[in-house]
Amino acid sequence: MDKGRRNNKVNQFFLERLTSIIKKEMASGSVSLEAIASQMYITRGQLTRRVKAINGMTTQQYAMKVRLTHASNLLKNNTDMAISEVAFRCGFEDATSFSRAFRRKYGISPSEYRNDDNLIDI
């Protein structure tokens, strides 16, 4: 296997592990970059540099992407779940901050997304 392919696999594994840890942190009710870095066995600075080098995003941007993608899945697949519960399960402190982040990213509110059958999963 050439070096480029090996690096791609290493980077893919790194992002899969990072995503898994972010999801675990979401389940606990908050997403702390210090806790994520600690679980990755690197410093917060190393985490930031590595994530930026792999996908051009900051760690915060990547974590928000993971959280909002998970939220969009919950909104479409659990229509009986309150928006505030979706927010909590995705590591937001309240529904207002979740709704603001969701609208900023996707241009519509979580309830509009949930109720629009024409929208495909984000």
Side-chain angles (χ1 to χ4, degrees):
M1 182 181 307
D2 68 7
K3 187 176 180 180
R5 270 182 151 171
R6 188 170 48 89
N7 282 341
N8 284 343
K9 288 203 179 276
V10 169
N11 290 341
Q12 181 180 354
F13 177 76
F14 178 86
L15 288 178
E16 287 171 0
R17 181 161 158 62
L18 176 60
T19 300
S20 175
I21 290 170
I22 291 169
K23 287 181 177 180
K24 186 175 122 197
E25 286 293 301
M26 285 185 324
S28 73
S30 69
V31 179
S32 159
L33 296 183
E34 287 78 16
I36 292 169
S38 175
Q39 291 177 59
M40 296 287 293
Y41 302 104
I42 56 178
T43 67
R44 183 177 172 170
Q46 290 170 320
L47 176 64
T48 299
R49 285 188 296 279
R50 181 97 185 258
V51 171
K52 186 79 166 176
I54 293 171
N55 65 19
M57 292 182 206
T58 66
T59 308
Q60 293 93 334
Q61 289 169 327
Y62 185 77
M64 185 62 72
K65 177 185 171 187
V66 170
R67 294 164 73 191
L68 291 174
T69 299
H70 185 64
S72 70
N73 290 331
L74 289 176
L75 289 166
K76 281 295 186 180
N77 298 320
N78 299 311
T79 55
D80 58 332
M81 187 181 295
I83 301 291
S84 58
E85 179 66 17
V86 172
F88 177 75
R89 288 187 183 206
C90 294
F92 290 89
E93 292 182 18
D94 56 58
T96 303
S97 59
F98 164 63
S99 293
R100 192 175 309 121
F102 195 93
R103 183 180 292 276
R104 188 173 29 245
K105 179 76 173 169
Y106 300 119
I108 60 174
S109 72
S111 57
E112 289 171 323
Y113 174 76
R114 170 181 274 168
N115 295 325
D116 191 340
D117 293 331
N118 295 321
L119 289 176
I120 57 170
D121 288 337
I122 298 172

